Amino acid sequence: MRSILLPKPLLTAALGSVVVLAAVGTQSAHAATTQVTAPRASATTNAASAPSARASAVNAAVRVSARASAARTARAATVLTSARVAEARFLELSNLIGQSCEPRVFSAVGHVTSEPTPDSTQPVLSDPVPLTTTEQCAAQRHQLRIRKAFAGMETATYEQMRAGLTDLEYPGARIHRMPNFAGKPVARLDLRVGAGRLALEVTYIGHGVMVEAFGAPQDFSVTDVRLKRHLDRPAS
């Protein structure tokens, strides 16, 4: 058979076409491989980031819980501090009144008798005990300042009475609610300091209050003392 010799330009063109086709095939194969590999890489990345997202959510929840706990602690500390401040102010007031009732001062102002104690329907748990001369003097000081503060004031509810007493620097912990008398609010004040026995009962009687002093035994709450009620309009 006789060989067919192609001219050199045609041979060169043919070889070039083969190279181009080979290159195109290689690029197509690479693209297909990339398309197959890319989703796998993306899935791997998403799978790796999922635990990180969960950890971030847990950390955020922990931070929120810690902030809430800190806020509750701060509120509790504020309430405790307020109670301590109120008690400190009352002790200062009680000390000043007590100093004014020392025997050397008391002899100059004359003898002060305790006011009649009110009757009550409360269970009999303890009878009142006598007040000392100094305690009677202190009782009068407290009675006068409370009556003056409540004179002309509408005090139809226990909450209003309590607010008025706290404004006078009697701590809320020393103010005790009693059953209403004839529909009017009644509160008792525990003014005992140390071995003292002084307590007061405050009853709203219409545009003013009646304030009765009595002695409360150390081992009893001021709410557990039986009193005889004696209605007495406050002095004008």
Side-chain angles (χ1 to χ4, degrees):
M1 178 187 289
R2 193 173 69 179
S3 300
I4 300 175
L5 297 177
L6 295 175
K8 186 175 182 180
L10 293 177
L11 180 59
T12 302
L15 292 175
S17 299
V18 172
V19 172
V20 169
L21 292 174
V24 170
T26 301
Q27 291 176 355
S28 299
H30 178 70
T33 302
T34 301
Q35 291 175 355
V36 172
T37 305
R40 293 178 181 175
S42 177
T44 302
T45 301
N46 292 337
S49 63
S52 177
R54 287 194 296 270
S56 298
V58 170
N59 291 336
V62 169
R63 288 194 295 270
V64 170
S65 177
R67 287 195 293 268
S69 177
R72 288 193 296 270
T73 301
R75 287 194 295 269
T78 300
V79 171
L80 181 60
T81 300
S82 298
R84 287 176 176 172
V85 170
E87 181 67 12
R89 288 177 177 172
F90 164 74
L91 292 176
E92 182 179 1
L93 170 66
S94 180
N95 184 55
L96 290 174
I97 291 177
Q99 288 179 359
S100 71
C101 290
E102 288 295 329
R104 61 180 181 273
V105 178
F106 182 72
S107 60
V109 299
H111 180 67
V112 180
T113 58
S114 60
E115 295 190 5
T117 53
D119 194 2
S120 173
T121 58
Q122 297 300 299
V124 178
L125 297 177
S126 174
D127 290 324
V129 295
L131 296 173
T132 66
T133 300
T134 300
E135 288 173 333
Q136 291 174 14
C137 171
Q140 185 187 51
R141 302 287 195 273
H142 287 289
Q143 289 168 323
L144 289 176
R145 69 191 302 268
I146 293 173
R147 285 172 173 169
K148 182 178 179 180
F150 280 88
M153 181 186 298
E154 183 66 26
T155 314
T157 66
Y158 169 77
E159 288 72 23
Q160 291 174 323
M161 177 177 286
R162 179 184 174 88
L165 291 172
T166 54
D167 287 343
L168 291 173
E169 298 186 352
Y170 296 108
R174 289 178 174 270
I175 304 171
H176 302 271
R177 185 171 191 169
M178 298 296 291
N180 286 358
F181 174 72
K184 305 299 184 181
V186 181
R188 285 189 181 180
L189 276 176
D190 187 349
L191 304 182
R192 293 174 293 185
V193 177
R197 296 166 292 185
L198 177 59
L200 300 177
E201 181 167 270
V202 183
T203 305
Y204 175 64
I205 55 176
H207 302 293
V209 293
M210 176 181 66
V211 186
E212 305 290 344
F214 63 95
Q218 284 291 319
D219 297 333
F220 289 85
S221 168
V222 296
T223 62
D224 295 336
V225 179
R226 180 185 63 178
L227 302 176
K228 292 182 179 180
R229 185 171 297 280
H230 176 79
L231 289 179
D232 183 20
R233 295 279 176 176
S236 58

